[in-house]
Amino acid sequence: MNFDLTPEQDQLRDAVRELGRKYGHSYFVGKAKAGEHTTELWHEAGRLGYLGVNIPTEYGGGGGGITDLALVCEELAAAGCPLLLLVVSPAIAATVINKHGTEEQRKKHLPGLADGSQKIVFAITEPDAGSNFHRLGTVARRDGDDWLISGRKVYISGIDEAGHVLVVARTEDAASGRLKPALFIVPTDAPGLEKSRLDMEILSPENQFLLYLDDVRLPADALVGESLDAGLPALFAGLNPERITVAAMGAGTGRYAIEKASDYTATRKVWGGRSIGSHQGVAHPLAHAAVQVELARLMIYKAATLYDAGRDLEAGVSGNMAKYAAGEAAALAVDTAVQALGGAGMTTEYGVATLLGAVRAGRIAPVSREMILNFVAQHVLGQDKSY
């Protein structure tokens, strides 16, 4: 059992940390409050090769794995710049296209995803079905050689800054007549595709949208893979990378909050010249939060290592556990940091309350803590399915 990163991963972590600190949380907050995107950071990360670390070298990537991308997500978040589209575009879309797309799709999309010039977002969640693909109402049907897609999607991140969206729909299997999932690469300017921005109580430069698809016409090659048989494997291919990188972003956010609070409590003196951090009522909650974040990090990199080794079933269990642990730890760390700073914790200047909405959302999305507990109860503990 080896807990050490490779020399290349150590260098990647240090370089990404330096980039994140170059921009910092004030940049992130400023962009969010101005209704702008973190375009400069994204393009610089792409130019330096950080967005494509998990994409094969023949398509312009770094040839690494999800472990490498998790490092990027964590270190940018630890610098106060948690970029949600790292999860959506490099982790989900690039993985799905690389593993299950056609060679033409890989050549068309992966180089742009690797250098940051292209973003592909992901649309599975629906107003009525949530993310339960068994009940999705978005349907794709044949029309000659083309496809027509109709339906609605909700909580779709960043479609206003992406050229394509990976849409999960249901199609009819001609052989069995049964509906089965399929993924389509849809241009965001396609006729019949409309979006409506959702007002969210989350301070983020990445926006959420409701999508309407009204007979969106697509060519045959918009279907991910060579046939409809690729649909279900392609859908599941994105789930483990999503959970692992979301967890890494949460752990990085927790680290950021604890560092901010620890710096403050170590120097803030109000009672007899002693720092407030010398009091156990202040120090112990921060120490407890630090323990929880570090435990989450261990599960994150266990899950990433299993995934990169091709052990998908084990990675599925560890990835869900990592997402659960990091979601809880990040929320605890930010809340504890706010409490330790007192009134200062609620100001924009000190940069911790600005993360409250995001870490609370991390206990809900992309899969809720309750559904993870259902998964663990059923698949680890052998209990009957409860839903």
Side-chain angles (χ1 to χ4, degrees):
M1 186 176 295
N2 184 1
F3 291 98
D4 293 327
L5 299 175
T6 66
E8 293 78 14
Q9 289 169 337
D10 267 327
Q11 293 171 7
L12 173 65
R13 181 180 60 183
D14 292 344
V16 174
R17 181 186 299 127
E18 182 178 349
L19 175 65
R21 289 178 175 175
K22 172 183 173 180
Y23 286 87
H25 191 58
S26 60
Y27 164 83
F28 179 89
V29 171
K31 289 292 184 180
K33 290 193 171 184
E36 299 173 355
H37 304 307
T38 52
T39 306
E40 302 88 354
L41 173 55
W42 184 271
H43 285 319
E44 187 164 357
R47 178 176 59 81
L48 294 171
Y50 305 151
L51 303 181
V53 288
N54 62 312
I55 293 174
T57 56
E58 58 264 39
Y59 304 109
I66 290 301
T67 301
D68 303 276
L69 188 59
L71 288 169
V72 174
C73 291
E74 182 184 354
E75 291 306 322
L76 286 179
C81 297
L83 300 186
L84 179 58
L85 287 192
L86 277 171
V87 175
V88 179
S89 196
I92 300 176
T95 299
V96 167
I97 292 170
N98 181 49
K99 287 197 167 187
H100 296 283
T102 64
E103 180 59 20
E104 290 75 17
Q105 289 168 344
R106 288 191 284 269
K107 289 179 178 178
K108 179 178 180 180
H109 296 290
L110 291 182
L113 294 176
D115 66 19
S117 61
Q118 181 178 174
K119 297 175 184 173
I120 299 179
V121 295
F122 185 61
I124 182 172
T125 307
E126 296 186 357
D128 297 325
S131 56
N132 180 2
F133 71 86
H134 296 290
R135 297 186 58 192
L136 294 182
T138 300
V139 175
R141 66 184 190 278
R142 294 276 193 185
D143 185 47
D145 291 333
D146 293 345
W147 290 95
L148 291 176
I149 304 181
S150 293
R152 292 187 301 161
K153 299 290 183 181
V154 71
Y155 305 125
I156 308 308
S157 306
I159 195 169
D160 57 330
E161 48 184 315
H164 294 81
V165 54
L166 198 59
V167 175
V168 183
R170 299 181 74 191
T171 64
E172 184 176 352
D173 184 353
S176 66
R178 298 176 62 185
L179 293 177
K180 58 196 301 186
L183 278 71
F184 296 86
I185 304 173
V186 182
T188 54
D189 61 356
L193 175 63
E194 297 184 4
K195 60 182 182 293
S196 175
R197 180 177 168 180
L198 295 166
D199 290 330
M200 306 291 292
E201 296 300 322
I202 300 173
L203 186 63
S204 172
E206 295 143 332
N207 300 314
Q208 301 293 314
F209 289 86
L210 180 64
L211 303 189
Y212 305 90
L213 300 100
D214 184 11
D215 278 348
V216 175
R217 183 174 293 275
L218 300 171
D221 62 4
L223 174 70
V224 173
E226 300 287 352
S227 72
L228 290 175
D229 291 335
L232 192 60
L235 175 58
F236 281 113
L239 296 184
N240 284 340
E242 175 190 52
R243 281 146 175 69
I244 292 167
T245 51
V246 163
M249 189 169 66
T253 301
R255 284 173 50 202
Y256 167 84
I258 292 168
E259 180 179 351
K260 294 286 287 186
S262 297
D263 289 345
Y264 180 87
T265 56
T267 56
R268 173 74 168 163
K269 297 178 181 179
V270 293
W271 295 297
R274 296 176 61 190
S275 69
I276 61 173
S278 67
H279 297 273
Q280 293 177 354
V282 175
H284 282 188
L286 286 173
H288 173 65
V291 169
Q292 300 308 306
V293 169
E294 187 62 20
L295 290 173
R297 293 182 73 234
L298 288 173
M299 186 55 76
I300 290 163
Y301 289 103
K302 175 182 179 180
T305 300
L306 290 169
Y307 180 84
D308 288 338
R311 295 160 63 178
D312 289 345
L313 290 177
E314 295 166 277
V317 173
S318 295
N320 273 292
M321 289 183 172
K323 194 274 169 185
Y324 180 98
E328 299 297 303
L332 174 66
V334 172
D335 185 69
T336 302
V338 170
Q339 189 69 24
L341 270 68
M346 296 303 298
T347 66
T348 302
E349 177 187 357
Y350 283 88
V352 285
T354 45
L355 294 165
L356 282 169
V359 295
R360 187 60 186 84
R363 300 175 72 209
I364 300 169
V367 58
S368 71
R369 62 191 300 276
E370 289 77 18
M371 286 305 295
I372 292 176
L373 293 176
N374 284 336
F375 178 90
V376 172
Q378 181 182 349
H379 295 283
V380 178
L381 305 182
Q383 305 303 303
D384 289 338
K385 189 175 181 179
S386 62
Y387 59 95

